[in-house]
Amino acid sequence: MTGLKLHADINNCYASIFRIFMPELNGEPLAVLSNNDGSIIARSQEAKDLGIIMGQPLFEAKPIIDRYGVKVLSSNYPLFHDMSTRFHHTLGTFSPSQEIYSIDEGFLDLSNFYKTDLKEYGCTIKKTVWKWLGLPICVGIAPTKTLAKLANRIAKKSTKAKGVLVLNTEAHIKAALNIVDVGDVWGIGRQYATKLRKFGVLSAWDLANVTDSFAKKELTIVGLRIVKELRGEACADLEIEPPAKKGICTSRSFGHPVTTLDLMQEAVATYMTRSAYKLRRQKSFCAQLSVFFETNPFNPNEPQYNNCKTIKLPVPTNSTLELVSYALLALKAIFRNGYKYKKAGVYLDDIRPATAMQGNIFDSIDRGKHLDLMRAMDVLTSKMGSGVVKLASEGTEKSWKMKQDYGTKCFTTRMEDILVVR
DNA sequence: TCTGGGGTCCTAGGACCC
DNA sequence: TCTGGGGTCCTAGGACCC
């Protein structure tokens, strides 16, 4: 086996981050809420043990929360993001080759570490993250990314592994595949798991032993790659450089239903400002945008109206001013009075790098001026946070903005970022 | 009363072209 | 009488991820 990959992730990420700064939460059941405080998106181990379910609406979990005194907190993304950056930085000191996979997960390439005691190395990483950041992690090491993820999953549950599992012999890999349910394999979701079970494929080991043609036929080429990775054949390398996004979306549910065009315009302008900022951060332009909104689908007694309007731009741009004006045109084209809107969003599409720009002879906009203004806005935004400078169309009241009833301080960033403190 | 947000990739089918 | 077929592009929808 040539390649060797390490997967590390933060245990109960959001709950663990809060506990660093609020140690009184240690040992207590804790649930972290989605944007708008709608549902539960993260739980401490104690909350999991009480039967609080991932994705469960808050009101449904309320009986358990009240009965056992589960502590509830709103999401705090500035804080999560900051701690995530520190986690990945720490991880990166252990290999020259690193992939930042998500806010709480990363991969390292250990292919040249054949002389290293891998178990010990994994334990050192785990201890270091704990010492430097106070975050609990688990580590899996194996020949492919899929197997490293699987090793990590077992490490989390096994008392013997103590949070670090190395799978680098055929016997160990076979034993591991046998104890993992097919639905717990990375890339096998609910639909595929149900389908596979009907064919008698129950474990990860079963999946590793289907034929290539079966995998391709039933799970597409993506599934075939998973099967090969389970057999130890690497099909996915680490992504060292994050690829530029092909689509950029900003959408939110409203804290209160929105019924007027005025407020909807504020929200759309605000979301577009955010998307345009993301677009410029990755040094791209876009040639298409969409605006969409919906009423509350969980409320069948209210009249429902969802719509989406897409506009192709005559000249690709990343100017907030231009994108907002097109977005408002799109919105006006589809907005209807008489509905209680629950959510809106914008989507940027047909994204291309700044270098591939092509002009249009009918272009009447002074792009140089826009560019200077955007640069100035971006400097302020990155130094002082979003919202320090904004367009008039974004509004100032933002009565529609999302609910955060259980807010916390941004402990590591700015004290003035305090949302609501209880 | 109250149900997240932001992405990726693949496939099938239709339009269109020569 | 016999009414092609292959390629490409685009889009919608479905699956997955955290």
Side-chain angles (χ1 to χ4, degrees):
Chain A
M1 293 185 189
T2 47
L4 211 47
K5 282 153 184 138
L6 177 147
H7 176 261
D9 67 354
I10 302 171
N11 304 342
N12 308 322
C13 179
Y14 298 164
S16 299
I17 289 176
F18 278 132
R19 283 178 168 176
I20 301 173
F21 304 97
M22 306 165 81
E24 67 274 17
L25 296 175
N26 283 319
E28 299 287 327
L30 168 63
V32 182
L33 303 179
S34 64
N35 277 337
N36 223 28
D37 291 342
S39 61
I40 290 159
I41 56 161
R43 305 149 297 159
S44 70
Q45 190 56 50
E46 297 78 7
K48 290 179 187 176
D49 294 344
L50 288 173
I52 290 183
I53 298 162
M54 174 72 175
Q56 194 174 27
L58 176 59
F59 70 90
E60 261 179 43
K62 204 79 177 135
I64 298 184
I65 287 171
D66 291 344
R67 175 142 33 108
Y68 297 101
V70 177
K71 181 80 185 164
V72 170
L73 293 174
S74 299
S75 285
N76 183 339
Y77 282 99
L79 177 65
F80 298 159
H81 185 261
D82 182 60
M83 291 311 295
S84 166
T85 304
R86 294 170 200 238
F87 163 64
H88 287 298
H89 178 259
T90 307
L91 213 53
T93 62
F94 288 91
S95 166
S97 191
Q98 173 185 27
E99 172 179 337
I100 295 171
Y101 177 70
S102 76
I103 195 160
D104 68 334
E105 286 179 57
F107 291 95
L108 298 179
D109 194 309
L110 298 187
S111 295
N112 294 320
F113 288 59
Y114 49 88
K115 287 183 184 162
T116 310
D117 180 333
L118 295 168
K119 173 81 178 181
E120 195 183 302
Y121 201 59
C123 289
T124 304
I125 294 175
K126 183 172 163 60
K127 274 183 212 151
T128 305
V129 173
W130 178 251
K131 201 156 105 184
W132 291 6
L133 305 177
L135 287 172
I137 69 166
C138 284
V139 173
I141 300 173
T144 67
K145 289 169 91 172
T146 306
L147 285 172
K149 281 269 282 188
L150 188 134
N152 187 317
R153 159 169 267 282
I154 297 172
K156 280 209 170 24
K157 313 217 153 159
S158 150
T159 45
K160 199 174 139 204
K162 294 200 171 72
V164 178
L165 182 64
V166 181
L167 295 177
N168 59 352
T169 68
E170 290 214 10
H172 283 140
I173 292 173
K174 178 175 179 182
L177 292 178
N178 261 308
I179 60 170
V180 170
D181 187 271
V182 71
D184 291 330
V185 173
W186 189 30
I188 303 298
R190 262 226 313 275
Q191 307 293 324
Y192 281 169
T194 306
K195 182 189 245 189
L196 287 166
R197 287 193 194 102
K198 283 186 189 145
F199 285 104
V201 177
L202 306 179
S203 67
W205 176 250
D206 294 340
L207 183 57
N209 285 285
V210 303
T211 64
D212 288 6
S213 59
F214 172 89
K216 175 121 194 255
K217 175 159 180 277
E218 302 299 335
L219 312 172
T220 81
I221 196 163
V222 178
L224 178 57
R225 266 182 231 137
I226 295 169
V227 168
K228 288 184 172 178
E229 286 243 323
L230 287 177
R231 297 174 189 152
E233 184 185 332
C235 296
D237 283 325
L238 264 54
E239 280 186 353
I240 314 295
E241 276 293 316
K245 304 256 180 284
K246 296 170 182 172
I248 292 175
C249 178
T250 304
S251 78
R252 297 279 184 283
S253 296
F254 302 127
H256 305 285
V258 163
T259 55
T260 66
L261 178 59
D262 271 2
L263 288 180
M264 195 64 112
Q265 283 178 322
E266 275 187 27
V268 165
T270 303
Y271 301 161
M272 185 52 89
T273 300
R274 177 84 193 139
S275 279
Y277 177 68
K278 292 188 214 166
L279 184 66
R280 291 192 297 273
R281 290 284 290 221
Q282 69 164 39
K283 299 187 169 44
S284 301
F285 288 72
C286 76
Q288 183 165 297
L289 67 83
S290 306
V291 172
F292 57 91
F293 51 67
E294 62 185 39
T295 45
N296 186 353
F298 295 101
N299 205 342
N301 298 327
E302 296 283 350
Q304 300 284 319
Y305 174 47
N306 310 332
N307 211 338
C308 174
K309 171 82 176 167
T310 300
I311 294 184
K312 283 194 194 308
L313 306 179
V315 180
T317 184
N318 62 15
S319 157
T320 299
L321 302 181
E322 209 181 340
L323 289 166
V324 166
S325 70
Y326 279 112
L328 295 182
L329 280 180
L331 173 63
K332 280 176 202 156
I334 53 175
F335 183 86
R336 301 284 176 271
N337 281 308
Y339 297 94
K340 291 182 180 170
Y341 296 105
K342 176 65 186 163
K343 176 179 178 175
V346 302
Y347 188 71
L348 301 181
D349 215 0
D350 198 350
I351 288 176
R352 49 192 84 181
T355 47
M357 285 295 298
Q358 197 184 1
N360 178 323
I361 52 165
F362 301 110
D363 195 2
S364 60
I365 290 178
D366 186 344
R367 289 176 196 281
K369 259 188 194 164
H370 276 222
L371 222 60
D372 290 341
L373 178 58
M374 290 306 115
R375 255 199 291 273
M377 280 181 69
D378 291 348
V379 168
L380 290 169
T381 301
S382 70
K383 283 197 173 147
M384 306 174 70
S386 60
V388 288
V389 270
K390 57 189 164 197
L391 308 188
S393 49
E394 291 180 57
T396 49
E397 296 289 315
K398 307 214 176 194
S399 56
W400 39 268
K401 75 177 183 221
M402 66 185 187
K403 210 161 58 171
Q404 292 217 290
D405 286 346
Y406 311 93
T408 41
K409 295 182 203 174
C410 285
F411 299 95
T412 60
T413 49
R414 305 179 309 151
M415 290 309 284
E416 62 268 35
D417 268 344
I418 293 169
L419 304 168
V420 181
V421 184
R422 299 205 154 180

